[in-house]
Amino acid sequence: MASRDLTDHFRRLIRATGPISLAQYMAEANAHYYSARDPLGAGGDFITAPEISQMFGEMIGSWLADLRARAGASDAVYVELGPGRGTLARDALGVLAKAGDLPDVHFVEGSPALRAAQGELLANASFHQDVTSLPTDRPLMVVANEFFDALPLRQLVKTAQGWRERMVGLDGERLVPVAGDRPMDAAVPSSCAELADGEIIETCPAATAIMREIAERIARQGGAMLAVDYGHLSARTGSTFQAVARHASVDPFVAPGTADLTAHVDFAAIAEAAREAGCRIDGMAGQGAFLMALGIGHRAAALARANPAEGESILAALKRLTAPDAMGHLFKVLAHGAPGWPVAAGFANAEMG
Ligand code: SAH
């Protein structure tokens, strides 16, 4: 679906008020981008794991089923953050339904267009604008796939005058990244103080805040969470801000509102937020290792036996989801749970603190 390009809007704003933060730019551009369209799939802008194969959602369904059974928590609700088309929820909840387990379904989704798509697949889902209105009286089992990468990113850049916020300004008519005026040295961890000029560090305050809020609820109400995204397990420097449209990388400062803006997720930071909020971290791993530990190889073999004509495409999907040079390494998985809950499956060294 065509979407209005926000360049003129940002030009006017910047002429009136001066450069705006990268976080504001990303928040407005993505809200606009997602509000009116379904960007997923071959005919859209990008493809996610649940859209590659039903096996992805099924593995998460068996992860949930195992944990629900061991916790004896048949009253726990299913929560998904940014469910896209609802494909992951449908495939995961299908696994639970086979065992007669039909949890209430709560979707945190900002986009009216995607809510409509999700409502078609999951007719009984309740919708939430943000996590604050989720149920307070039952355990929460929360799943988020490629949700945190779309949240507004903050970047700080080292200049000859010290650390500055990275903003979006104008060079003639062009939107360009510029360094802000205000000193930001106090916001930079001491480990980064000596970095060279031009170096960039990233934080995502929205991701940390949402994680903290959910983890507080889980610690209080019971439950667990599985977050899957592309990113890194420990903090690093450099910009990972990027834009994707029609399955290709594009300039994130051109035609805002018409491409998906994302950044790598700092898993160390969101795990730390969950821990501080009172949850136990059950594991962090590459997506490939996690899915293999849950038995995706066996599932692929069974599906291929049942549909010999599709054997090759099933194997191709398995590789895409798990191979180190595809999504297996770049994508990471973080699981955490309430202190009284059983430790989640899927991680070799089950308990990490
Ligand atoms: N999880 C899906 C979709 C990923 S795309 C999949 O794997 O296919 C990102 C999703 O997060 C979309 O559903 C988008 O509408 C939603 N989203 C992005 N930013 C959001 C925000 N700030 N609040 C709520 N939902 C958001």
Side-chain angles (χ1 to χ4, degrees):
M1 193 192 306
S3 173
R4 197 166 56 86
D5 169 353
L6 293 183
T7 304
D8 277 342
H9 160 75
F10 283 123
R11 279 185 191 130
R12 275 195 302 276
L13 188 63
I14 293 165
R15 284 198 183 108
T17 67
I20 57 172
S21 72
L22 189 70
Q24 180 183 351
Y25 176 78
M26 186 168 170
E28 278 196 49
N30 269 354
H32 182 78
Y33 172 77
Y34 278 108
S35 65
R37 66 169 72 210
D38 171 359
L40 292 149
D45 289 326
F46 58 94
I47 292 194
T48 55
E51 304 295 333
I52 290 172
S53 166
Q54 71 191 71
M55 294 187 288
F56 184 77
E58 288 172 349
M59 288 304 115
I60 292 180
S62 54
W63 183 89
L64 290 165
D66 164 68
L67 203 49
R68 289 169 76 81
R70 286 190 287 126
S74 53
D75 60 335
V77 301
Y78 176 86
V79 176
E80 193 174 333
L81 312 182
R85 286 181 174 167
T87 311
L88 166 53
R90 180 199 61 196
D91 294 339
L93 293 169
V95 173
L96 299 186
K98 280 199 188 120
D101 186 3
L102 302 168
D104 287 349
V105 177
H106 293 266
F107 286 159
V108 176
E109 175 58 69
S111 158
L114 288 174
R115 281 188 183 196
Q118 293 152 17
E120 281 188 20
L121 283 192
L122 284 305
N124 296 322
S126 308
F127 291 101
H128 301 264
Q129 197 61 34
D130 58 50
V131 299
T132 55
S133 56
L134 290 170
T136 55
D137 58 346
R138 279 163 294 161
L140 305 176
M141 300 191 80
V142 185
V143 174
N145 187 61
E146 290 210 43
F147 169 75
F148 288 103
D149 65 1
L151 298 178
L153 174 75
R154 180 178 200 197
Q155 289 187 335
L156 299 173
V157 58
K158 180 83 179 283
T159 71
Q161 291 78 41
W163 286 94
R164 296 285 193 265
E165 177 136 14
R166 206 160 180 241
M167 322 275 286
V168 181
L170 277 173
D171 177 10
E173 292 291 296
R174 274 191 323 130
L175 299 170
V176 289
V178 296
D181 295 336
R182 295 221 322 266
M184 282 292 165
D185 302 82
V188 173
S190 52
S191 58
C192 296
E194 298 308 319
L195 288 172
D197 287 0
E199 284 274 19
I200 289 171
I201 58 174
E202 301 183 330
T203 57
C204 188
T208 329
I210 291 174
M211 197 52 139
R212 187 173 304 123
E213 167 99 30
I214 296 218
E216 270 169 15
R217 296 285 213 94
I218 288 174
R220 198 178 329 132
Q221 295 169 222
M225 175 163 181
L226 186 69
V228 187
D229 229 306
Y230 71 116
H232 37 267
L233 296 182
S234 52
R236 56 170 70 160
T237 61
S239 174
T240 66
F241 184 48
Q242 66 166 40
V244 165
R246 269 156 250 100
H247 306 277
S249 188
V250 297
D251 185 334
F253 298 104
V254 171
T258 67
D260 184 38
L261 300 182
T262 62
H264 282 208
V265 174
D266 179 350
F267 276 82
I270 58 173
E272 185 54 27
R275 203 192 321 260
E276 277 173 12
C279 279
R280 178 197 62 227
I281 305 301
D282 286 349
M284 283 203 267
Q287 173 173 299
F290 176 74
L291 292 175
M292 292 307 272
L294 293 180
I296 194 170
H298 301 289
R299 180 64 183 141
L303 279 174
R305 268 196 307 277
N307 313 279
E310 285 170 39
E312 255 177 55
S313 65
I314 292 165
L315 192 64
L318 173 69
K319 277 200 175 148
R320 197 159 165 198
L321 292 173
T322 61
D325 57 350
M327 297 174 80
H329 270 178
L330 178 60
F331 281 73
K332 309 288 192 299
V333 177
L334 162 68
H336 56 89
W341 267 51
V343 173
F347 303 94
N349 47 342
E351 165 114 32
M352 293 174 62

